[in-house]
Amino acid sequence: MDEIAFDSRECGSCPIRHRAVCARCETDELELLEDIKFYRSYEAGQPVLWAGDQMEFVASVVKGIASLSQTMEDGRTQMVGLLLPSDFIGRPGRDHAPFDVVAVSDLTICCFRKKPFEALMTSTPHIGARLLEMTLDELDSAREWMLVLGRKTAREKIASLLSVLAQRDASLRRSTPVNGMVFELPLTREAMADYLGLTLETVSRQISALKKSGVVTLEGKRRVVIPSLEILLSETGDDVDGGPLV
């Protein structure tokens, strides 16, 4: 996704402000968050947290993408989720990280010291209400992704991921998803393969097939143009009923 400039000292200039956990906060509530926040940046491939680490902070993804992974006893690792801009890292009330969190692309996160944040959840209803809303949205997304991984064809999986990324990019820019959408693909094809349970060769082949069919246009290695969002959504295999896009 294209870089969106912001002043880390001013919450009002934050590109995720309207979607983040602080979205409903008033000025005085933002000032309370300001006292407990700090920023961290990670390069692609750098770990943010390992499963079992003591949670000293919770955070919102400001720029970039991170992966959630779980490792089994025999060493096998499965990516179980992606954290996109405005998504929340951590769970208040839980002292240890349940998953590995690794930067997939260059990553910036807005961190809040965990104990003071938990106290603010009690005294600042806007924070608790927004976090509950985000948690329910995440649950819905997890259920939808079970369908993607379990039932969809390789082509439908690629189309589904591209549609999610395109619509999130539009949401961050506060624009309505329209034909001719353009965004920077923040994932390598290797990362896409890992997340979707496909081989690298299959991902490359299906992207080429979508390009050949005119569903997407690629400009360079990462810039993606969606000529028709409706056509892309039709490739996902979902029952598109004309409802609102989120």
Side-chain angles (χ1 to χ4, degrees), residues 88-110:
F88 195 71
I89 300 174
R91 176 175 163 182
R94 177 173 286 178
D95 293 330
H96 297 87
F99 303 108
D100 298 335
V101 182
V102 178
V104 175
S105 63
D106 290 347
L107 181 75
T108 299
I109 60 176
C110 177

Side-chain angles (χ1 to χ4, degrees), residues 193-219:
D194 189 16
Y195 186 45
L196 295 171
L198 302 172
T199 65
L200 175 60
E201 293 76 12
T202 298
V203 170
S204 295
R205 186 166 57 249
Q206 294 302 327
I207 289 177
S208 295
L210 289 171
K211 179 181 177 182
K212 185 176 180 179
S213 300
V215 178
V216 300
T217 300
L218 302 181
E219 298 177 353

Side-chain angles (χ1 to χ4, degrees), residues 47 53 83 111 139 147 152 161 165 168 188 200 207 211:
D53 281 355
L83 294 168
C111 307
L139 179 59
L147 173 63
K152 291 192 176 185
L161 180 57
L165 294 174
R168 177 62 66 89
T188 64
L200 175 60
I207 289 177
K211 179 181 177 182

Side-chain angles (χ1 to χ4, degrees), residues 175-186:
S175 61
T176 302
V178 294
N179 295 338
M181 296 170 63
V182 181
F183 68 97
E184 294 290 328
L185 185 63

Side-chain angles (χ1 to χ4, degrees), residues 92-213:
R94 177 173 286 178
D95 293 330
H96 297 87
F99 303 108
D100 298 335
V101 182
V102 178
V104 175
S105 63
D106 290 347
L107 181 75
T108 299
I109 60 176
C110 177
C111 307
F112 304 101
R113 289 184 286 118
K114 183 171 173 291
K115 293 300 181 183
F117 183 86
E118 290 173 345
L120 279 179
M121 285 184 61
T122 301
S123 61
T124 309
H126 285 154
I127 295 176
R130 175 59 182 152
L131 187 58
L132 174 60
E133 183 179 46
M134 294 174 70
T135 301
L136 293 175
D137 287 344
E138 183 180 348
L139 179 59
D140 287 342
S141 296
R143 288 168 173 166
E144 291 170 3
W145 208 249
M146 288 175 63
L147 173 63
V148 172
L149 297 181
R151 292 293 181 182
K152 291 192 176 185
T153 66
R155 184 183 178 103
E156 290 169 342
K157 288 180 179 181
I158 297 294
S160 295
L161 180 57
L162 291 176
S163 69
V164 168
L165 294 174
Q167 292 177 70
R168 177 62 66 89
D169 186 73
S171 175
L172 289 171
R173 298 178 186 282
R174 304 193 190 193
S175 61
T176 302
V178 294
N179 295 338
M181 296 170 63
V182 181
F183 68 97
E184 294 290 328
L185 185 63
L187 299 171
T188 64
R189 296 191 181 189
E190 289 86 351
M192 293 173 69
D194 189 16
Y195 186 45
L196 295 171
L198 302 172
T199 65
L200 175 60
E201 293 76 12
T202 298
V203 170
S204 295
R205 186 166 57 249
Q206 294 302 327
I207 289 177
S208 295
L210 289 171
K211 179 181 177 182
K212 185 176 180 179
S213 300

